Amino acid sequence: MAEDEFDFANKIPPSFDHVGNVIKESGSKGFNPGLIVLLVVIGLLLTFLVGNFVLYTYAQKTLPPRKKKPVSKKKMKKERLRQGVSAPGE
């Protein structure tokens, strides 16, 4: 009887053998399509953000500062009166 107990020591039961084949087959399929789409979208987003940052820094270095609009005499007069300084010529 002792020999009969060890008869199955080197054999794999059929149910476990099938599970092993499924695991081997799923590993060799390649990337998940959802993962590929996710990587492409993240890559495009990063490219967009990095490109915007590079263009922004380039524009800051090369473009001259914007000129301010000239303030009208009427507005300057009102502002001076608000501050309590009399306008010249009055």
Side-chain angles (χ1 to χ4, degrees):
M1 276 226 158
E3 292 175 10
D4 291 340
E5 290 176 13
F6 297 108
D7 228 4
F8 297 105
N10 295 331
K11 295 182 181 177
I12 300 171
S15 60
F16 289 112
D17 191 32
H18 177 68
V19 171
N21 287 341
V22 170
I23 292 171
K24 288 177 189 173
E25 288 173 5
S26 67
S28 63
K29 282 185 180 178
F31 290 111
N32 184 1
L35 179 66
I36 293 173
V37 169
L38 184 67
L39 289 174
V40 167
V41 168
I42 290 174
L44 289 172
L45 183 66
L46 281 175
T47 305
F48 175 75
L49 293 174
V50 169
N52 275 343
F53 178 73
V54 169
L55 286 174
Y56 176 76
T57 53
Y58 176 73
Q60 291 294 317
K61 290 178 185 175
T62 57
L63 292 177
R66 274 199 251 170
K67 293 182 180 178
K68 293 181 180 178
K69 288 183 180 178
V71 182
S72 68
K73 291 180 181 180
K74 217 182 216 184
K75 285 185 180 177
M76 281 177 63
K77 199 176 197 180
K78 283 183 180 179
E79 188 63 32
R80 284 185 183 153
L81 286 174
R82 254 190 237 148
Q83 292 177 357
V85 178
S86 61
E90 289 184 8

